[in-house]
Amino acid sequence: MAKAKIAVNGYGTIGKRVADAVRAQDDMEVVGVSKTKPNYEASIAHQMGYDIYAPAENLGAFEKAGIPAAGTIEEMLEKAELVVDCTPGGIGEKNKPMYEKAGIKAIWQGGESHPIAGFSFNAASNYEGALGRQFVRIVSCNTTALCRVISPIDRELGVKKVRVVLARRAADPNDVKKGPINAIVPDPIRLPSHHGPDVRSVLPHIDITSAALKIPTTLMHLHTVNMETNTDCTVADIKRILGSQSRILFVGQGISSTAEIIEYARDIGRPRYDIWENCIWEESITVHEKELYFFLAVHQESITIPENVDAIRAMMEFENDGAKSIEKTNKAIGL
């Protein structure tokens, strides 16, 4: 079987997870990952057996640190058919000319805006639209989660409108430079937040408005979702629709917080306690006069990882059926 040759530019919170997920697939291989500095993540990448590439001006620092560098980032791109850009928001846009010069396909993350690729991706919503594309943007963690619940309900019942309030984690667990420490911050103060427009980059026909708060936690985001459907439905209908989606997980059995969801992931042996699924409290699902409500938790570090894999498969045209790609990805990573 031919394998897609994938480069991962940026081996941080998302990049290391993307690299591991790609390596788990039988139709893809990682030709290299990049780091700008020889830090502990670069050392781990070396221990994991990844070839490490760096900016030309930093190669000497890697040699001095005793972490072998295989070459420059440009040399990594020469070995690749597709690059997954996992650099911090705003850096990916600066990298685009480098990818165009290399003549390869590229994927960006949700930290970049929709115009960078002209196509924003969610596997459950618009997989077929990514087939054969040169450039694709994976939407953010929160947008991924919202698309996963809106799409199946819209297909079956029709969605008239969506209103969402997001309580956002302030920073990732390893980020010691950000806050707030003891505050709740409207994010942004001017409403609505960017999450609704981002959903419309995937589902342009959906009427959605969102508001967000930044809170002192690093574990997960929490959404309060209100959705009005065009067709009458019951709680049982919503549970059936959402329960049929492999990347939606109902939580209960005494789980009453995001901390307990993370502990659950640890207990079942998930790598890095990753929760790739949307986590919905089953007992929170409520329906009243075509309006439904539920609580949804989002593990920001990992939820977009399977979407990156599916986007690669679509862009390389290895699988034309989105459902089949989702099944293949899920099985390979252990979801």
Side-chain angles (χ1 to χ4, degrees):
M1 174 186 292
K3 292 188 176 185
K5 299 183 184 301
I6 309 302
V8 180
N9 192 10
Y11 190 82
T13 298
I14 299 299
K16 59 191 175 186
R17 288 172 165 86
V18 168
D20 289 353
V22 168
R23 186 158 67 174
Q25 311 301 313
D26 65 9
D27 52 357
M28 307 174 192
E29 63 178 316
V30 179
V31 299
V33 303
S34 78
K35 287 296 293 181
T36 57
K37 299 178 181 178
N39 63 3
Y40 76 94
E41 287 175 321
S43 178
I44 290 171
H46 174 59
Q47 294 174 40
M48 295 284 287
Y50 293 117
D51 287 338
I52 302 171
Y53 294 81
E57 63 273 17
N58 291 353
L59 292 176
F62 279 82
E63 183 179 0
K64 184 177 180 180
I67 301 174
T72 65
I73 294 173
E74 289 80 1
E75 288 172 328
M76 177 180 71
L77 299 180
E78 291 175 2
K79 299 176 181 293
E81 298 171 273
L82 183 151
V83 58
V84 183
D85 188 298
C86 300
T87 59
I91 302 300
E93 184 176 1
K94 297 176 182 178
N95 290 335
K96 185 175 182 179
M98 180 170 58
Y99 304 150
E100 291 174 321
K101 183 178 179 180
I104 61 175
K105 296 175 182 286
I107 292 173
W108 288 270
Q109 307 307 307
E112 306 301 331
S113 59
H114 175 77
I116 194 170
F119 182 82
S120 294
F121 179 85
N122 173 256
S125 305
N126 62 355
Y127 179 93
E128 288 73 17
L131 292 173
R133 283 187 177 268
Q134 183 179 4
F135 298 140
V136 163
R137 168 184 173 259
I138 307 297
V139 291
S140 72
C141 52
N142 287 310
T143 305
T144 293
L146 289 169
C147 288
R148 284 183 185 172
V149 295
I150 294 170
S151 289
I153 293 174
D154 185 48
R155 283 194 293 268
E156 187 153 339
L157 302 173
V159 170
K160 185 175 181 180
K161 69 176 182 180
V162 183
R163 301 294 181 257
V164 187
V165 177
L166 303 90
R168 300 184 60 241
R169 66 93 179 94
D172 286 334
N174 68 340
D175 193 340
V176 298
K177 298 179 181 179
K178 293 183 179 179
I181 301 298
N182 186 27
I184 298 172
V185 182
D187 185 32
I189 292 176
R190 174 173 287 183
L191 297 174
S193 71
H194 72 275
H195 304 92
D198 203 28
V199 168
R200 286 197 294 271
S201 73
V202 178
L203 301 168
H205 64 288
I206 295 296
D207 176 2
I208 179 171
T209 301
S210 58
L213 306 168
K214 190 184 296 184
I215 60 176
T217 183
T218 65
L219 296 178
M220 302 181 80
H221 304 300
L222 181 64
H223 299 184
T224 304
V225 180
N226 167 226
M227 202 179 302
E228 185 175 350
T229 60
N230 294 325
T231 305
D232 283 320
C233 61
T234 65
V235 169
D237 292 328
I238 299 303
K239 289 182 178 180
R240 173 183 54 80
I241 294 169
L242 296 180
S244 69
Q245 302 298 303
S246 63
R247 292 178 183 168
I248 291 178
L249 174 68
F250 289 145
V251 296
Q253 296 180 310
I255 293 177
S256 60
S257 68
T258 55
E260 289 160 316
I261 294 175
I262 293 298
E263 187 68 7
Y264 164 79
R266 291 188 180 109
D267 287 344
I268 65 173
R270 285 286 181 87
R272 302 186 180 93
Y273 62 75
D274 284 348
I275 300 286
W276 301 294
E277 307 97 323
N278 290 26
C279 296
I280 296 175
W281 276 272
E282 187 172 7
E283 64 181 296
S284 75
I285 300 173
T286 305
V287 176
H288 177 69
E289 295 182 351
K290 296 185 183 179
E291 286 198 64
L292 61 120
Y293 306 83
F294 54 84
F295 288 122
L296 162 65
V298 179
H299 187 220
Q300 75 283 353
E301 297 173 274
S302 64
I303 194 171
T304 64
I305 304 308
E307 308 295 326
N308 277 271
V309 175
D310 291 325
I312 293 170
R313 195 168 283 121
M315 294 166 73
M316 298 301 297
E317 297 185 90
F318 283 178
E319 176 56 68
N320 293 334
D321 187 319
K324 290 181 179 178
S325 179
I326 289 172
E327 181 180 5
K328 185 177 179 69
T329 299
N330 290 354
K331 183 178 180 180
I333 65 176
L335 190 153

